[in-house]
Amino acid sequence: MNALEYFQDKLDEIIQCLPDVIGTESPSRDEEDSRNIVNVFAQLAKSIPAIDSVERIPAEGLGEHLLIKAFGKNSSEEKHFLLLGHTDTVHPKGSIRERPFRMEDGKIFGPGIFDMKANCVLIFKVLQYLSENDLHPSAPVTVLLTCDEEIGSHSGRPLVEREAKNAKACFVFEPSAPGGKVKTGRKGTGNYILKAHGIASHAGLDPQKGANAVGELARQIIELHKLNNFEIGTTVTVTTIKGGTTTNVVPAEAECEIDVRFTSMAEAERIDSEIRSLKTVDERVTLEVLGGINRPPLERTKAVAALFEKAKKIAASLGVELEETQVGGASDGNFVGAMGVPVLDGLGIAGDGAHADHEHILPDDIPFRGALLAGLLTAEI
């Protein structure tokens, strides 16, 4: 039985795993729920003979990361394949009651199913397929599921970079792009908070004695939006703003959050410098900049293009024309790509609605995605 036939035969079994995984909610920063979902995946790992080790790595205030090594005992290959995913979701606890797991019109719905719990299940099912059929990847396999990807990977990043040091290729199981496309490029991200510190005064009696932090921040927002360069993919977006205390007081404090996206580190450094060099119009107001560059861009290098061509040929052998795209969102794969490791992202099951109420996957796509990963792991890369 070839890989595609195997996953077609096992489709119902795979789907039966999903209610437990989706029902075990795991919003970011919920330590108990993070450990609970790791329990589920660790149990899946125990049934696979080829898995050499299962390590649960505590992350203070967040829960646990999960690190799994497989197919390494009888391998002479020094480098490994790195498979990346994450267990945290953006959906608050209780979402499963409002939007329960359900199958409808050829789709499977549930909070976090597309981004990316069903894809984590698929990783284990591919390892199971290889193990059951005595098939050996061309290199040992490392699976890392972090628990804070949705909030910046501040705890997970060191683990990702540690495991990437000896990786020959990295496969990221973030959701596929529209049309089932894989992702060969992602923008880098920066997250900033700009604070304005002014002087409070009575808005009716002594307004001239105050230094209006809200007014100053409004001027700075205009300057920030001048940094956009859509032609080269640079975006600077003020996303939230707050300030002031009450209606009759000149506001002494104001702040805004800034989302920055870029396609090169040179552009990231330029924007970072511009933000940190902002000058006030009212000299009595001072500015404070917090945050910075969070993720480097995932660039479509020659090595990434070659990895995609390998995946495209495997997909063609399965009767599918695989396409690629480049997207604005970032993932943990960005960290790996910055280290020179070829990365293929967006290998997850086709669907839609990441982070939204209508989040779903297309179960008919599961056999292809499983067979594609099996093909990638057993190919010479």
Side-chain angles (χ1 to χ4, degrees), residues 32 34 66 79 104 126 133 170 188 203 214 216 235 267 272 275 286 321 351 371:
E32 181 180 0
S34 174
L66 183 62
K79 290 184 175 290
E104 185 178 290
V126 171
N133 291 275
C170 176
V214 168
E216 183 61 47
T235 60
E267 188 67 355
D272 185 81
I275 291 175
T286 60
E321 183 180 353

Side-chain angles (χ1 to χ4, degrees), residues 175-183 320-325 345-351 362 365 368-369 372:
S176 56
K181 296 177 183 178
V182 296
K183 302 167 184 177
V320 175
E321 183 180 353
L322 187 66
E323 296 182 88
E324 62 174 314
T325 189
D345 204 333
L347 284 165
I349 303 161
L362 304 178
D365 191 50
F368 165 67
R369 297 290 161 174
L372 176 61

Side-chain angles (χ1 to χ4, degrees), residues 112-129:
I113 192 168
F114 183 51
D115 186 15
M116 53 170 288
K117 287 184 170 179
N119 302 329
C120 294
V121 171
L122 185 62
I123 291 173
F124 290 101
K125 293 302 179 180
V126 171
L127 299 183
Q128 181 179 327
Y129 160 72

Side-chain angles (χ1 to χ4, degrees), residues 130-147:
L130 295 174
S131 184
E132 286 182 2
N133 291 275
D134 198 28
L135 297 171
H136 299 280
S138 57
V141 176
T142 296
V143 179
L144 176 58
L145 305 181
T146 59
C147 67

